[in-house]
Amino acid sequence: GAVVSQHPSRVICKSGTSVKIECRSLDFQATTMFWYRQFPKQSLMLMATSNEGSKATYEQGVEKDKFLINHASLTLSTLTVTSAHPEDSSFYICSARVREGAASGNTIYFGEGSWLTVV
Amino acid sequence: AQSVSQHNHHVILSEAASLELGCNYSYGGTVNLFWYVQYPGQHLQLLLKYFSGDPLVKGIKGFEAEFIKSKFSFNLRKPSVQWSDTAEYFCAVNQYYGQNFVFGPGTRLSVLP
């Protein structure tokens, strides 16, 4: 099946620095990618929807200047956490939707997630 | 490694038919279990979750799921589906106090009007 790769799977950064998480669709083109965050003992929360070549659509309450999302190509979306703080420590997961018209239609594939720890 | 399997890749039903989607996981410890749904063109939404207590969990839109620990299963059910239930359904497992979600591959449900 199709593969979505997230990198890094785990990252530790110092408070005040920025960290970038990549989400790649390895063998298909994805016009739309979704970024989620998991809070402790809770389910996933959608942060933003990323469309190739256009600005991401952020959910209410998500700071767009803090969580920068770029979807520069049909196979890559990045999430940059700027000026990270300890409360940003969380599990971030992306998913990618196969480009419409392809044989798989609108199938969604998930990345393995990235665990961010800000110290 | 922990894994989640879903029995069917694509299920096609007529309206009013009953639905059961299978989900099995491999982890032997305490787990939290989830079912998510993704409607065409939309983001992932939580249908229901199980953390502890009554193994029969009721969620939104008439869905329910039953946790059977001995079978490592968490099957999703709905007695009568509607055309609007057409979507992709994902089972997910999170180890208790664990850090990562593990998602199943998904089951596409197509409900014919």
Side-chain angles (χ1 to χ4, degrees):
Chain A
V3 176
V4 174
S5 173
Q6 268 186 252
H7 178 79
S9 58
R10 293 180 182 274
V11 58
I12 301 173
C13 70
K14 291 185 177 181
S15 185
T17 63
S18 296
V19 61
K20 180 185 289 186
I21 300 171
E22 293 186 345
C23 178
R24 291 182 184 273
S25 55
L26 296 186
D27 51 2
F28 66 96
Q29 293 182 328
T31 51
T32 304
M33 290 186 175
F34 304 91
W35 285 95
Y36 303 85
R37 175 178 179 177
Q38 183 200 8
F39 291 97
K41 298 186 183 181
Q42 297 186 31
S43 61
L44 297 179
M45 179 199 78
L46 178 68
M47 298 175 66
T49 302
S50 168
N51 292 296
E52 185 267 336
S54 62
K55 292 183 178 180
T57 301
Y58 289 82
E59 295 300 301
Q60 192 172 8
V62 178
E63 299 176 62
K64 59 182 66 177
D65 293 332
K66 180 170 186 60
F67 298 98
L68 301 179
I69 292 173
N70 181 273
H71 194 160
S73 76
L74 285 171
T75 60
L76 173 64
S77 176
T78 60
L79 167 68
T80 301
V81 183
T82 62
S83 187
H85 290 282
E87 57 264 31
D88 298 327
S89 297
S90 190
F91 180 63
Y92 295 87
I93 192 167
C94 74
S95 66
R97 186 171 68 196
V98 179
R99 184 166 65 99
E100 291 183 7
S104 299
N106 288 318
T107 305
I108 306 292
Y109 298 96
F110 288 93
E112 294 180 339
S114 300
W115 183 255
L116 170 64
T117 302
V118 183
V119 297
Chain B
Q2 188 174 337
S3 67
V4 178
S5 62
Q6 291 183 236
H7 303 171
N8 308 97
H9 176 66
H10 190 188
V11 173
I12 303 173
L13 296 173
S14 298
E15 276 194 315
S18 63
L19 170 72
E20 181 160 3
L21 301 182
C23 171
N24 286 89
Y25 62 95
S26 64
Y27 183 66
T30 303
V31 294
N32 300 319
L33 300 158
F34 306 81
W35 273 99
Y36 289 87
V37 61
Q38 189 147 20
Y39 297 102
Q42 299 186 28
H43 65 275
L44 203 63
Q45 298 175 48
L46 180 67
L47 268 181
L48 48 80
K49 61 185 177 184
Y50 172 80
F51 282 4
S52 63
D54 189 342
L56 185 60
V57 180
K58 295 192 182 299
I60 61 172
K61 304 186 181 185
F63 287 91
E64 65 178 32
E66 184 176 13
F67 170 51
I68 302 179
K69 189 174 181 179
S70 61
K71 295 184 177 181
F72 299 92
S73 70
F74 190 56
N75 292 356
L76 180 70
R77 299 195 292 252
K78 185 171 183 178
S80 176
V81 295
Q82 301 173 316
W83 177 80
S84 57
D85 293 324
T86 294
E88 190 94 12
Y89 292 81
F90 297 91
C91 179
V93 176
N94 176 228
Q95 291 176 234
Y96 191 64
Y97 287 126
Q99 298 177 342
N100 294 0
F101 271 83
V102 176
F103 281 85
T107 297
R108 181 184 299 180
L109 172 64
S110 298
V111 180
L112 306 178

